[in-house]
Amino acid sequence: MSRNVRVAVVGATGAVGKAMIDTLLRREFPYTDLRLLASKRSAGTVINVASRAYEVQEATPESFDGVDIALFSAGADVSLRLAPEAVARGALVIDNTSAYRMHADVPLVVPEVNPEAMWGHQGIIANPNCSTIQMLVALRPLQLAYGLKRIVVSTYQAASGAGERAIAELREQTVAFLEGREMKASVMPVSKLAKHYPLAFNVLAQIDVFADNGFTKEEMKMVHETHKILADDSLAVTPTCVRVPVVYGHAESVYVETERSFDIDQVRALLAQSPGIEVQDDPQAQLYPQPLLAAGRFEVFVGRLRQDLYTPNALSMWVVSDNILKGAAYNAVQIAELWLSREAHTA
Ligand SMILES: NC(=O)c1ccc[n+]([C@@H]2O[C@H](COP(=O)([O-])OP(=O)(O)OC[C@H]3O[C@@H](n4cnc5c(N)ncnc54)[C@H](OP(=O)(O)O)[C@@H]3O)[C@@H](O)[C@H]2O)c1
């Protein structure tokens, strides 16, 4: 790499932002300048990165002067306001929020699935929703080998998907419950009675708000983003998104119907050799993916592979991944790495 790469992390104090910084280090991303940006609230906070102290600055349009890559994860409003400013100053924006995902001129990229799409960017590349990313890493090899007709997915999504406050609140609620105290709730959905639901010792069949069709916005994201990434609007996608009291790692029960017949052992072998996947599937050894084991890892773990009992050309599987890493920070850094490798070739 011959040129200097100056990186900005927007939302650096958040769950995803902190994982971005950590991932840049773990991947030995060759940045020469690192700007840590957040809101006015945390301006002045010091974050240590590789034994060097960085002061967090308030994100403003001028923060992006001289920046090559800006990794955004500070909410959709911040991306809508500041991503165009970063692009106008010459930065490539990799956006983790939902702000631009469905824009026609913004590629929505999972490097194991549709890396080539990123080169059509006009300055912004979007990272898909965490639940969509891990599902599609697992399904892409099946799409290529057998064709996809229908997906029925139920998610078991970790608290960290709702950010730092949700993680802290789940921990506090768990302690309160075990000590026989009332659980305080302020992050998860609010009922008609204007009371937030606690997540500890609970399961909430709602992520984000409800759309008019009875699905939630999170569920509709899985439908629309899957169509865009796989370039197939005819694919039937039926999601149910559920929040569970897990800190890190989303799990998904995925039922999929394919166009062509398959052998389940061949599917297992195919997945085992596909990029970004680790197969953990051994009923005899009682081995299958689990959020606790996936936390902190970059891979998508796949197990519980079963041929359907009734429908030909259908199978079920269990897909687990760290939502903060492959579902957000690592996927974004992978995109930055692809950009970097092309820069290195054209430099
Ligand atoms: N968590 C996940 O699994 C996940 C996965 C994919 C995508 N995402 C998306 O990534 C974004 C961040 O998620 P998160 O989980 O990291 O949330 P979080 O833990 O709540 O962190 C939010 C971050 O945004 C910053 N921020 C808030 N308002 C800001 C403003 N006006 N200007 C600049 N920075 C501001 C916060 O800074 P302060 O410390 O100053 O408040 C903090 O650094 C969201 O859009 C989310 O949908 C999250």
Side-chain angles (χ1 to χ4, degrees):
M1 180 59 219
S2 53
R3 61 175 288 193
N4 298 333
V5 186
R6 296 153 298 183
V7 176
V9 177
V10 189
T13 54
V16 174
K18 285 194 262 186
M20 296 267 196
I21 298 167
D22 192 43
T23 303
L24 289 169
L25 291 179
R26 282 173 67 184
R27 299 289 302 173
E28 299 181 359
F29 192 87
Y31 62 82
T32 51
D33 181 43
L34 184 62
R35 270 174 227 179
L36 304 186
L37 308 172
S39 78
K40 205 188 275 185
R41 286 181 296 277
S42 37
T45 308
V46 172
I47 297 181
N48 284 309
V49 182
S51 310
R52 202 182 136 187
Y54 289 81
E55 194 169 308
V56 175
Q57 298 162 22
E58 180 185 358
T60 65
E62 294 70 37
S63 307
F64 301 98
D65 286 337
V67 165
D68 298 300
I69 297 183
L71 303 169
F72 273 72
S73 65
D77 292 348
V78 175
S79 292
L80 288 171
R81 185 164 52 86
L82 289 178
E85 300 284 353
V87 173
R89 289 166 170 77
L92 171 69
V93 168
I94 304 174
D95 185 32
N96 260 280
T97 76
S98 57
Y100 298 99
R101 286 178 191 152
M102 296 313 295
H103 283 214
D105 60 353
V106 174
L108 187 59
V109 175
V110 182
E112 293 85 348
V113 178
N114 62 338
E116 67 293 338
M118 71 177 272
W119 303 116
H121 76 81
Q122 311 285 317
I124 301 176
I125 298 172
N127 236 21
N129 171 273
C130 41
S131 305
T132 310
I133 292 178
Q134 69 183 64
M135 179 175 81
L136 295 191
V137 169
L139 290 183
R140 177 63 164 169
L142 301 187
Q143 184 197 28
L144 294 176
Y146 312 111
L148 298 179
K149 254 170 66 177
R150 177 172 186 81
I151 302 165
V152 181
V153 54
S154 296
T155 70
Y156 303 64
Q157 296 183 221
S160 54
E164 280 293 319
R165 280 181 59 223
I167 299 172
E169 187 166 278
L170 174 59
R171 291 195 166 122
E172 284 156 19
Q173 287 173 355
T174 304
V175 173
F177 184 90
L178 292 174
E179 291 178 348
R181 289 185 281 113
E182 192 192 346
M183 292 191 280
K184 297 209 171 83
S186 64
V187 180
M188 290 300 149
V190 190
S191 74
K192 252 187 167 171
L193 306 170
K195 282 185 82 172
H196 290 273
Y197 296 122
L199 180 62
F201 302 93
N202 204 2
V203 167
L204 300 173
Q206 178 190 354
I207 297 180
D208 210 330
V209 296
F210 285 94
D212 291 341
N213 63 4
F215 284 83
T216 60
K217 266 175 81 177
E218 181 87 351
E219 289 160 353
M220 292 313 297
K221 280 179 199 168
M222 289 192 81
V223 175
H224 298 311
E225 294 180 20
T226 295
H227 287 169
K228 180 166 176 177
I229 296 163
L230 295 183
D232 181 2
D233 287 351
S234 70
L235 179 57
V237 185
T238 307
T240 303
C241 290
V242 178
R243 186 80 69 192
V244 295
V246 163
V247 179
Y248 296 107
H250 290 355
E252 296 176 346
S253 167
V254 182
Y255 164 89
V256 54
E257 292 175 12
T258 59
E259 274 163 4
R260 295 179 289 283
S261 64
F262 57 80
D263 174 276
I264 197 74
D265 291 327
Q266 278 174 6
V267 168
R268 195 175 286 106
L270 172 68
L271 292 174
Q273 67 191 33
S274 296
I277 296 177
E278 183 174 319
V279 172
Q280 293 181 335
D281 191 28
D282 186 348
Q284 301 233 307
Q286 302 188 45
L287 178 71
Y288 45 85
Q290 300 169 34
L292 273 182
L293 302 179
R297 301 277 300 269
F298 290 139
E299 301 91 331
V300 171
F301 298 92
V302 182
R304 299 296 322 277
L305 279 158
R306 286 149 287 159
Q307 178 110 38
D308 194 65
L309 295 175
Y310 305 99
T311 306
N313 303 352
L315 62 84
S316 294
M317 59 175 147
W318 181 243
V319 180
V320 177
S321 193
D322 188 321
N323 53 299
I324 300 285
L325 291 179
K326 183 56 193 163
Y330 176 55
N331 198 75
V333 171
Q334 280 180 299
I335 294 170
E337 288 174 347
L338 287 174
W339 174 86
L340 193 61
S341 60
R342 181 175 274 199
E343 286 287 299
H345 280 105
T346 52

